[in-house]
Amino acid sequence: MGAYILRRLMIALPSLLGISVVLFTVLALAPGDPFEELATNPNVPAEVKLALRQKFGLDDPVYLRYFHWLSAMAHGDWGFSFISRVDVDTLIAQRVPVTLAVIGASQVLALAVALPVGILSAVRPYSWFDRIASTLAFIGFSLPTFFTGVLLILLFSIKLDWLPFVYRADLTSTGWQWWAEQLRQSIMPIAVLGLFQGASWTRYVRSAMLDVVRLDHVTTARSKGLAERVVVIKHVVRNALIPVVTLVALQMPAVFGGAIVTEQIFRVPGIGSLLIDAILRNDTPVIMAVTFVFACLVIAFNLIADLLYGWLDPRIAYR
């Protein structure tokens, strides 16, 4: 297992290098200047503007700027935000806990909905439970998150006044009151992301279960007199989870990207809102760092999916 992980990590390095080249080139050739506001400010002397451009190498060739960025990244320097005037790694470190809390809780909610509902729907296909669950699932993943987010705000924040519709990172309370307020302001963004993802995964779990339940080894297990619960959990669910693991692992980085919309709706100060703000203000070091982190997440979750295959199916050997 250790040799397999090491080999996969060595393969990932050229992939990340190629991704970084493409990202940096696209951002470098994109129109706009991060110092555009500074250039039009008459109160800033011309020599100060030139000194800043030389300091950050904005007038250097693209390939030279890329090698400077790559060398800095290799030494743990993620760059300097032109807009916020702080290090990029500091900015990301401030936003990551909020994003991880919201995304992590939403994915737990999605799995808590998708697994039991999908399994029960497949065990009792075309029953009333299956029909109701399928209808709700189709409605759930047909509605975009920006629509359901606004709908929840109108209902629970404006109409009922139960939940705050703006996420606050500067809560002044402490102790259990802080946890209670944090939970109240997190309910809606977690519900929007979790239910949307759970609706899509429910259909996938049901389909995977129906594919496995018809296989010969399941019929053999039933013919041996095993209880239906044992047959479903031990012989059906475990095999059906293999394609589900692929879906969940490969969609996880996309969920971080999809959370950008939800974070904008509820003003969640996460990675998504940081990326949107950086794009609007042409803060290229922040854009480069965040998109590169997303690329790393894609590769990391691919590796996690491959490792989970071996746990779910002992026939898979890592060589």
Side-chain angles (χ1 to χ4, degrees):
M1 178 71 72
Y4 173 78
I5 295 175
L6 181 61
R7 187 167 64 252
R8 285 293 301 270
L9 292 177
M10 294 299 294
I11 295 173
L13 289 178
S15 301
L16 289 175
L17 190 63
I19 292 171
S20 67
V21 170
V22 174
L23 287 175
F24 195 92
T25 304
V26 170
L27 291 176
L29 298 179
D33 188 344
F35 286 151
E36 184 176 358
E37 295 181 5
L38 189 67
T40 56
N41 190 341
N43 297 321
V44 180
E47 57 271 15
V48 174
K49 302 174 185 177
L50 292 175
L52 286 173
R53 296 188 68 86
Q54 290 177 358
K55 178 182 178 180
F56 293 106
L58 294 181
D59 296 325
D60 295 339
V62 175
Y63 72 91
L64 193 59
R65 289 161 58 188
Y66 171 75
F67 284 120
H68 288 163
W69 174 86
L70 187 62
S71 176
M73 285 289 289
H75 291 85
D77 182 7
W78 289 38
F80 185 80
S81 173
F82 299 148
I83 305 301
S84 302
R85 304 292 192 270
V86 295
D87 292 335
V88 174
D89 55 353
T90 303
L91 274 178
I92 294 178
Q94 293 172 351
R95 304 294 187 102
V96 163
V98 177
T99 297
L100 288 181
V102 174
I103 297 296
S106 66
Q107 298 315 290
V108 171
L109 175 62
L111 289 173
V113 171
L115 290 179
V117 175
I119 291 171
L120 289 176
S121 296
V123 171
R124 302 172 183 174
Y126 309 111
S127 63
W128 280 108
F129 178 85
D130 181 32
R131 293 175 183 175
I132 294 173
S134 298
T135 302
L136 293 177
F138 280 124
I139 295 174
F141 66 73
S142 297
L143 298 177
T145 54
F146 64 83
F147 176 80
T148 53
V150 173
L151 197 63
L152 291 183
I153 289 174
L154 290 175
L155 178 60
F156 293 106
S157 296
I158 297 178
K159 183 70 175 179
L160 300 176
D161 196 22
W162 288 355
L163 301 171
F165 63 88
V166 174
Y167 191 102
R168 292 181 53 196
D170 56 345
L171 296 176
T172 56
S173 55
T174 58
W176 288 106
Q177 185 178 359
W178 184 89
W179 286 102
E181 292 182 9
Q182 189 74 15
L183 178 62
R184 287 184 69 247
Q185 69 178 3
S186 301
I187 288 176
M188 287 196 293
I190 289 173
V192 168
L193 284 173
L195 295 179
F196 176 80
Q197 204 69 36
S200 175
W201 290 351
T202 296
R203 296 296 302 170
Y204 202 86
V205 171
R206 179 185 182 275
S207 177
M209 286 282 296
L210 289 176
D211 289 339
V212 175
V213 80
R214 302 187 183 98
L215 297 180
D216 293 340
H217 75 276
V218 178
T219 305
T220 303
R222 287 198 176 103
S223 66
K224 289 181 178 180
L226 294 178
E228 185 66 18
R229 179 174 174 273
V230 176
V231 173
V232 171
I233 294 177
K234 187 175 181 180
H235 297 279
V236 180
V237 173
R238 187 164 182 173
N239 289 280
L241 283 181
I242 294 177
V244 176
V245 165
T246 305
L247 176 73
V248 173
L250 296 183
Q251 282 192 353
M252 195 64 68
V255 172
F256 279 87
I260 293 175
V261 177
T262 305
E263 288 181 1
Q264 287 295 104
I265 293 173
F266 296 100
R267 297 295 185 266
V268 178
I271 295 295
S273 58
L274 175 64
L275 179 60
I276 290 295
D277 185 61
I279 292 173
L280 293 177
R281 305 176 73 175
N282 202 20
D283 197 353
T284 50
V286 177
I287 301 172
M288 185 67 196
V290 174
T291 51
F292 188 71
V293 168
F294 284 166
C296 293
L297 286 174
V298 172
I299 293 176
F301 278 106
N302 270 278
L303 177 59
I304 292 172
D306 290 342
L307 296 178
L308 288 175
Y309 293 157
W311 176 70
L312 291 171
D313 191 348
R315 296 172 299 177
I316 298 176
Y318 296 108
R319 298 177 181 175

